[in-house]
Each structure stands twice: as structure tokens, then as C-alpha cells.
Amino acid sequence: MSRNDEIAAHLSEFADLLEATGVEYKPNAYRRAAENVADHPAPVEALAREGPDAVAEIDRVGDAIAAKVVEYVETGTIAELEELREEMPVDIVALTRVEGVGPKTVGTLYRERGITTLDELEAAAEAGEIRSVKGFGAKTEGNILDGIEFAREASERTRLGDARPVADDALAHLAAHDAVAKAEVCGSIRRWKATIGDVDVLVASDETEAVVEAFTDWGGADAVIEAGTIKASVRAAGTRVDLRVVDVTEFGAALQYFTGSKEHNVAVRNRAIDRGLKVNEYGVFDVSAVEDADGDDPDDDDPDVNDPDGDGPNGDQRVGERIAGETEPGVYEALGMEHVPPELREDTGEVEAAADDGDGTLPALIEEGDVRGDLHTHTDWSDGGFSIEEMVTAAADRGHDFHAVTDHAAGPGILGNVGLGEDEIQAQAEAVADVADDAPIEVFHGIEANIDADGAITTDDATLAELDLVVASPHSALDVDTDAATERLVRAVEHPEVDILGHPTGRIINSREGMAPDMERIAEAAAAADTAIEVNANPARLDADGTAVRAAIEVGATIAINTDAHTPREFEHVRYGVHTARRGWAERADVLNARSPAELRAFFR
Ligand code: DGT
Ligand code: CA
Ligand code: CA
Ligand code: ZN
């Protein structure tokens, strides 16, 4: 969590607790301020050191809120927030992760039933004690019970977008140290999973204790959980970060081992056994000449059973002739395999595809540098923070070749007057054309239209037909079963004016499950209708996910990787989208954003 995010999180908690105690209006002011603090392009802490007036320069941050920001930066706490926490000692962040439970509900359940934690909420729901609270009922109680497990997992796993900057920071800190020969992340973060249990960092060094010390001294660490001679763990921005230090000659083997997934490693190890080899975190060893290292039955050396570290139940880790281990490609090569990109290491066919004695080949995965522009972005015409010109300029500055303006259309799920009606869309067309005339890159005018509960698009066809492209997204009625979700989205992708299906499930990671449509059926319809399926790169969404991308590509659908940026800074999210698409085995030819403006115009037609 950046410092701005941390300040914003306290303002949000304040807003939620205020609302839980029954205060109206004020919570929303705090929430809007929190958003703008989080999005502020410069450190808000520096403004706070100048004083409340400087903080109040931030949009939507009034004097009272600015004073609280200054108080937080100066004292590390906000007195009024502490009072609220005492008045209502609830874990509001965890409780409001349960779908359908907002701050008001938390307040009611605290007053009526004394509920303060997820465990207490679950116990009360199981005991049937919630249905009798005024305004609840058996259905609501059932929904709460259904949502608890999801909320609990959400509290345990960190979003990739929150963990990755922490990992990058730890890596940069370590890489700058003299004793560090090599440093790399491993585990789920190297595989770019959407959520991260803990961050794993691997270092090669012959001064292990100096590295451990440098790690525990890292400014990003809030607390040291444990520190030994070759490993250590710290807590940073709410996430655990594990460090392991190995010898430089064993770095490749350790990197392969600790990147996982466990399932991938089991498949790799079985392949090694078939070839008279043994692979573990220390290297690849030729054990064909070794009868039985420790004198008992060689058959009990089954690495898949009771053998978490792959060194055999007999514990002989470095046995036989060592044939690889210094580099990771070398490890795979010794096993007769291509170097498997980390995103693919889930044991879903990548081991066979990488093998030099099989029929398959690994895909040539899409890379961040292949992306030539964004096809789903917002401006201050809807809920974005910047003008058309500012967004286009930022896209050009990033080296993009094109940029699509796709503000929200009015429709279900779009609040108040945020979305554009037909007249406003026409007016925006002129504004976009004005910017496009002087822009150094191709500018497309589109819209993010809404898919209603039946799969219809809620903007006039005639208006849609005038636009360069139409992104259609579900923003409402997300709590439907698989069949209804599939039918709805199939109908949307078959709409003749729709070019891209935006964030198909509508999930918000750790917050809202979204729909669970049959992505293969949607992809078949999309492929037939020449509609692309979006990987929304916002790290809160990553929707479609890797599994859905793979299903889509297998039936010939096209993928779009879009940031859905509401600010220029959010263009940075593209990497999360690219790596998610890579988890779905996407190649450059599968991805719309890798095409030229002329090719895109042809696709949109
Ligand atoms: P996470 O942290 O839950 O998001 O997932 P990972 O994959 O980062 O898992 P983690 O942190 O428990 O361990 C990192 C890697 O180390 C894991 O992907 C594979 C390897 N590893 C850890 N424990 C075992 C094990 O018991 N057996 C095998 N084969 N590999 C393991
Ligand atoms: Ca991990
Ligand atoms: Ca770990
Ligand atoms: Zn959007």
C-alpha cells in the first residue's frame, strides 16, 4: 500500500464507521475524498507537512477532512476515528467484504446482536439469529452465510495490484545491496496470480546474513516476523514477504522450485524420475548411477509422497552427478524442456508442451511491449478524472499508437448522471474529433455501453452505429445463475454494434464474486460475431481471468487488454492485464491491442 493509499484507507474506515453509527451524507464526502487522496499523483504526506491548506487543494477534500489528513500524518492516528473504533469495535473492513453487508448493516448487527467479526457473523447466521433482526429475514441470512467464505478468503489473500508494488520495492532494495548477486521474486507473484498469499523473494549471495540484515532493514517492512541466517519474513503493507538466500550456483534450481506451482513442480519432478534424474531446490542430479544413496529400498524414494522439499524421504539432497541448477533455463534444459514462462506453471498442459519429446509447443506469449494502445478508458465526461486531451496526451507520451475514449453511457448500474445519454454522446463526438485533429496518435471515439439483465444494450442502436467502437459491459444484476449469465452475455456479444465485451463477470476481487458464465459458449459466440473479449487490467478486476482467456482463445476468439483507466496513472495497470492474458496462453496474434490502427478500424467494421 502506498502512503496515499494508507491515508485513504483511514478516511474510508472513518466513513464506514460514521455510516455504521447512522450518520448520513458525511460518510460519502469522506469516501470521495479518500478516492482522490488515493489517486493523487504526488505524495499527500508532503502536502500534509505543508499544512491543511495544501491538502485542501486536492479536489473534494474540504477543510475538515484536510485537518484529519494532517493529524494522521503528524500523529499516526485520527482522534475521532479512535473514538468511533471504541464506540463500535467492529472489524468493518472484513465484515463489509461480505456481499450485501454494508456499513449500515454492520451497525445494525452490532447493536442488535453484538456482532464484531466474521466468525461471530457466521455463528449468528448459522444459529438463525439474524433473520429475526428487523429488516433482515431468512433470505438475507442465507445470502450472508453464502458470502462469508468468499469474504474470509478475501481477508487472507492480497490483490496482485497491491502485492506487486511491494514485491518490486523489496526487490529493488535488495538488488542495490553489494552482497546480492541475483534477486528475483518467485511463488504466485512471479506467476502473476490475481491474488497472492505471500510474496516470495529469492536472493543469490555468499554473504547470507548480510542479506538477511539488509532485508529486515528494508524501509517497506512494517514488522519483522522472523529472521534466521538464510531466511527471513517481514510484514509489509499488510502482506507477508518471505526471503530466502541461496548459493549462486543453486539459484536457478531454487528459483524453479520456489516459483511453483506445487502442481507444476510435481509434474516436472515426475518427468525427471522417468529419465533417471532428480530435481530439487539444489539442482538437477543424474541418479541413474546411484543405486540407492542411503542403503534402503530405492523405491521408497518417491518424491511425491511426504516429501515437501523434493529431496526424497531419505533426506539426501545432493546425490549423484549434478548436471544443472545455476540457471533456471538450464534446469528445464536438463529435463529436455523449453524454459516454461512462470505464468503457465499450473500443470495445465505446459509440461507436455515444453517437452522436446512431445507433440506440443509452448505458445509465444504476448508481451507488454506488443500493446500499442488502450481500447477502454474514461474521461471527465463520465467518472474519469481528466479531460479527453489529457488522456490522449498521456497515451501518446506512453508511446501508444492509438487511444479509445469510451466513457460510460447512461444505463443500469451507472449512478446518477455519470453516464452519457445519446445527445451527450453526440456532443462528445465533436470534442473527441477536435482533440483527434491535433493528436499525434489515432484517437477512436467509443462508449462503454451497459448490458441490461436480459443482455440488451441500453443505448440506441443509431447512436452506437455512429461510433468507432462499442465496449459493452455488465454493471448491474450480477447475482444471477450461470445459465442466465451465459445467455445474457451471448446476446450482448452478438449485438451487431458491440466490438468488445468489457469485464465479462463483473467481479471485484476480494469484494464481489460477479457472474460465473460459461466462457467457452460466450467465446464461441464472440468468435462468430467478431467481438473481442476483454481482459480488464484493473487489478481489482482482472476480468476475464487466465482460465477464461484460454477457453476463449481455444475457440478462436479475440482478446482485448484494456486498462479501463480513469486517470493517466492507471495506464500502468496494463502489465497486470498482459500477464493475466499470458496466464491464458495468449499470443500476440490473439490480442486486439497489438494491431495497427488500420487493422483495428477493419475489426470494428
Ligand atoms: P501463495 O503464496 O499462496 O499465493 O502461493 P505460492 O505458490 O506462492 O505458494 P507458497 O508461498 O506457499 O510457496 C512458494 C512456492 O514454493 C510454491 O509455489 C512451490 C514451492 N513449494 C512450497 N512448498 C512446497 C511443497 O510442499 N511442495 C512443493 N513441491 N513445492 C512447494
Ligand atoms: Ca507465495
Ligand atoms: Ca511463501
Ligand atoms: Zn470502464
Side-chain angles (χ1 to χ4, degrees), residues 309-331:
D309 50 7
D311 60 1
N314 302 326
D316 248 336
Q317 297 164 329
R318 300 170 177 94
V319 65
E321 186 198 349
R322 187 170 186 272
I323 59 170
E326 181 151 1
T327 71
E328 194 183 59
V331 169

Side-chain angles (χ1 to χ4, degrees), residues 67-204:
K68 289 204 172 52
V69 171
V70 171
E71 182 187 354
Y72 179 72
V73 168
E74 283 178 351
T75 69
T77 181
I78 300 170
E80 264 189 75
L81 174 61
E82 295 298 334
E83 281 165 27
L84 276 172
R85 282 172 172 168
E86 263 178 47
E87 186 184 332
M88 192 165 286
V90 294
D91 187 351
I92 193 127
V93 175
L95 288 167
T96 52
R97 280 200 183 111
V98 180
E99 253 190 288
V101 175
K104 274 206 189 73
T105 305
V106 171
T108 307
L109 292 175
Y110 175 68
R111 280 187 300 272
E112 301 293 325
R113 295 290 181 266
I115 290 166
T116 63
T117 63
L118 276 181
D119 286 345
E120 288 169 7
L121 181 65
E122 182 171 48
E126 275 172 352
E129 288 165 10
I130 289 180
R131 63 183 69 189
S132 52
V133 177
K134 189 161 171 276
F136 284 72
K139 182 155 186 279
T140 310
E141 186 178 77
N143 287 343
I144 287 177
L145 210 45
D146 287 345
I148 282 179
E149 185 165 354
F150 179 79
R152 196 172 274 137
E153 276 169 25
S155 330
E156 283 164 10
R157 298 189 65 82
T158 308
R159 285 179 186 163
L160 175 64
D162 294 327
R164 186 75 213 195
V166 174
D168 288 341
D169 191 32
L171 212 50
H173 172 75
L174 286 166
H177 197 277
D178 284 343
V180 172
K182 291 181 183 175
E184 195 41 276
V185 292
C186 39
S188 53
I189 199 140
R190 184 162 179 244
R191 306 196 312 278
W192 297 84
K193 266 189 79 167
T195 64
I196 304 298
D198 62 18
V199 171
D200 302 288
V201 180
L202 184 70
V203 163

Side-chain angles (χ1 to χ4, degrees), residues 214-237:
F215 180 63
T216 54
D217 284 348
W218 167 45
D222 300 322
V224 177
I225 299 166
E226 56 196 350
T229 54
I230 58 162
K231 46 186 193 173
S233 299
V234 301
R235 187 155 293 284

Side-chain angles (χ1 to χ4, degrees), residues 15 44 53 176 183 289 332 376 394 423 453 465 470 533 542 569 601:
V44 172
D53 290 348
Y332 283 102
H376 176 176
D423 292 347
V470 174
I533 293 176
L542 301 180
R569 220 168 46 128
R601 287 219 183 262

